[in-house]
Amino acid sequence: MSRPLPISNVPLNSFAQVPNGGGLVVPPDGTLNAHRDLIVALAARYRLPAVYPYRHFVAAGGLMSYGIDYVKHLTCEAECLW
């Protein structure tokens, strides 16, 4: 089993110090998903607005999610089969 790459040395500090530097848009990626708590914590520490691909990033303390609600989506699909 491969281990996720460490991302604790991401240079968010220098990015956060740029005036009007923007924020983070986290793409749907397995490696980033594996480091969800770290990414959310770093964004909060450096006060960077961030949007995430899945609701569980928001449940972990992230600002907002741009992804679909998979439970609702799959429930609708299951209802269509009946």
Side-chain angles (χ1 to χ4, degrees), residues 3-8 10 26 29-42 52 56-57:
R3 294 177 49 184
L5 298 173
I7 62 167
S8 60
V10 174
V26 179
D29 179 85
T31 302
L32 298 177
N33 196 32
H35 293 289
R36 175 196 67 207
D37 294 332
L38 176 60
I39 294 168
V40 170
L42 288 172
Y52 303 97
H56 60 267
F57 280 86

Side-chain angles (χ1 to χ4, degrees), residues 9 22 24-25 28 32 36 38 42-43 48-49 58 72-73 78 81:
N9 58 355
L24 300 176
V25 177
L32 298 177
R36 175 196 67 207
L38 176 60
L42 288 172
L48 290 170
V58 176
K72 184 177 180 181
H73 181 70
L81 294 176

